[in-house]
């Protein structure tokens, strides 16, 4: 059993190094989100990595086909453990935080799919549509009980719509739209950093956070935010060359993500993290260009 896992990891990294880098990031993020189910998260990350290889023009079809038998062997050997992990993952979906984070990860569709296909202009338009739709849906749901109950099930807590003028999800979309107005690659990198960095900050801070610092946030959560932001930006740049940024830009963007997420609470960090990160990276690019 251990041999199948080792073989799958070695062969996958040799044949699809870029895609498997993304798979590792996905698996780690899912494991943090579900607070367990490691083997299921690893296998799901591997499947998504193979899918990325299939849709990338640079990857040969025979490379994908050669990986599938190894993946099947791994699944057969570990099927009982994967099934057990799926049970724990299903239980985790009962938590509002987990459902909200899974919904938030859907925001990666904009930089990871729409941006490579249509560029920043198309991504900007779709973000504007998504923001308007989310805001309108919130307001309508306040007067339609059935719709309100459905929204509670899929993610946000009731207080986000009843006691606030705008929910965290809509704030996130609005912030992403504002960030997309900045020039490339700062705009698209900021979306990736904000999505992954904020998630890692909350999930690590709530689980392992011991040392309080900025505005009641924990040092462990903020460091996780930085690691998630910079690793997400780096892996995204490898897979989408048009959105690639130098290490110095990623460093400043990740630091901006860290401090914005740490200094602001509730919906404000959802609103400001991506725009501030994009603004800082744009400023660094301009300064570097002038100098």
């Amino acid at each position: 059993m251990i041999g199948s896992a080792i073989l799958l990891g070695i062969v996958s990294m040799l044949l699809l190094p870029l895609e498997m880098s993304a798979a590792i990031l996905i698996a780690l993020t899912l494991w943090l989100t579900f607070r367990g189910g490691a083997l299921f998260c690893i296998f799901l990350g591997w499947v998504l990595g193979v899918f990325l290889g299939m849709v990338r023009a640079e990857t040969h079809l025979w490379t994908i086909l050669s990986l599938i038998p190894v993946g099947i062997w791994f699944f057969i050997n570990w099927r009982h453990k994967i099934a057990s992990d799926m049970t724990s993952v299903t239980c985790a979906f009962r938590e509002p935080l987990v459902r909200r984070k899974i919904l938030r990860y859907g925001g990666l569709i904009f930089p990871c799919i729409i941006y490579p296909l249509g560029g920043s202009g198309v991504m900007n338009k779709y973000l504007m549509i998504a923001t308007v739709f989310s805001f309108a849906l919130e307001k309508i749901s306040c007067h339609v009980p059935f719709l309100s109950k459905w929204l509670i099930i899929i993610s946000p807590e009731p207080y986000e719509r009843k006691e606030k003028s705008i929910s965290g999800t809509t704030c996130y979309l609005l912030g992403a739209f504002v960030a997309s107005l900045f020039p490339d690659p700062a705009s698209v990198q900021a979306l990736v950093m904000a999505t992954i960095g904020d998630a890692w900050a909350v999930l690590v801070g709530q689980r392992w956070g011991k040392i309080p610092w900025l505005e009641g946030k924990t040092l462990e959560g903020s460091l996780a935010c930085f690691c998630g932001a910079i690793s997400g930006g780096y892996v995204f740049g490898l897979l989408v060359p048009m959105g690639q940024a130098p290490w110095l830009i990623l460093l400043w963007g990740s630091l901006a993500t860290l401090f914005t997420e740490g200094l602001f609470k509730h919906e404000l960090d959802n609103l400001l993290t991506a725009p501030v990160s994009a603004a800082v990276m744009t400023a660094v690019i301009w300064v570097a260009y002038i100098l």
Side-chain angles (χ1 to χ4, degrees):
M1 292 176 67
I2 300 296
S4 64
I6 295 174
L7 180 63
L8 180 66
I10 293 175
V11 173
S12 299
M13 289 302 297
L14 287 176
L15 296 180
L16 296 174
L18 300 184
E19 291 80 358
M20 288 304 135
S21 298
I24 293 172
L25 187 65
I26 292 170
L28 182 55
T29 303
L30 291 176
W31 176 74
L32 289 172
T33 305
F34 296 130
R35 300 187 178 186
L39 204 61
F40 170 77
C41 296
I42 291 171
F43 186 70
L44 181 58
W46 178 83
V47 171
L48 293 175
V50 172
F51 176 75
L52 286 174
M54 292 177 62
V55 299
R56 276 170 53 85
E58 295 86 351
T59 306
H60 199 282
L61 178 61
W62 288 109
T63 302
I64 304 297
L65 294 178
S66 62
L67 270 177
I68 292 178
V70 185
I72 293 175
W73 183 37
F74 172 85
F75 179 79
I76 291 174
N77 281 305
W78 293 93
R79 63 187 183 279
H80 298 299
K81 176 59 178 172
I82 293 175
S84 175
D85 286 352
M86 287 181 65
T87 302
S88 64
V89 167
T90 303
C91 294
F93 266 102
R94 298 172 184 172
E95 300 181 24
L97 175 64
V98 173
R99 297 197 301 270
R100 189 166 67 251
K101 289 303 175 185
I102 293 297
L103 180 65
R104 193 71 55 82
Y105 298 152
L108 292 173
I109 291 174
F110 297 99
C112 297
I113 297 179
I114 297 177
Y115 175 75
L117 293 176
S120 56
V122 174
M123 182 184 70
N124 176 268
K125 293 176 181 177
Y126 276 98
L127 276 168
M128 180 178 63
I129 294 171
T131 304
V132 173
F133 176 79
S134 178
F135 181 77
L137 190 62
E138 275 185 39
K139 297 308 174 184
I140 294 174
S141 68
C142 294
H143 307 285
V144 181
F146 170 78
L147 187 58
S148 180
K149 292 180 181 179
W150 182 75
L151 289 177
I152 292 173
I153 291 173
I154 63 171
S155 174
E157 289 111 336
Y159 78 86
E160 283 191 307
R161 294 184 307 280
K162 301 298 183 182
E163 299 180 7
K164 297 180 181 179
S165 59
I166 183 172
S167 73
T169 300
T170 302
C171 283
Y172 164 80
L173 289 171
L174 179 59
F177 168 70
V178 174
S180 70
L181 298 175
F182 287 87
D184 293 342
S187 60
V188 66
Q189 283 284 355
L191 301 187
V192 176
M193 290 181 176
T195 304
I196 299 178
D198 179 73
W200 281 31
V202 174
L203 297 169
V204 172
Q206 288 189 356
R207 190 171 182 180
W208 294 291
K210 301 294 183 182
I211 306 173
W213 75 316
L214 299 174
E215 293 295 323
K217 305 293 178 70
T218 64
L219 181 61
E220 294 86 351
S222 293
L223 291 176
C225 175
F226 175 81
C227 293
I230 198 167
S231 59
Y234 178 70
V235 170
F236 173 77
L238 292 178
L239 291 172
V240 185
M242 61 190 292
Q244 198 169 33
W247 270 108
L248 180 63
I249 307 302
L250 295 178
L251 176 62
W252 279 100
S254 300
L255 287 173
T257 301
L258 182 158
F259 284 105
T260 306
E261 193 280 333
L263 288 171
F264 297 96
K265 295 182 179 180
H266 306 306
E267 68 273 12
L268 279 179
D269 65 342
N270 293 314
L271 177 65
L272 297 176
T273 300
V276 171
S277 178
V280 169
M281 285 188 283
T282 301
V284 173
I285 293 172
W286 285 351
V287 170
Y289 178 77
I290 293 173
L291 297 179

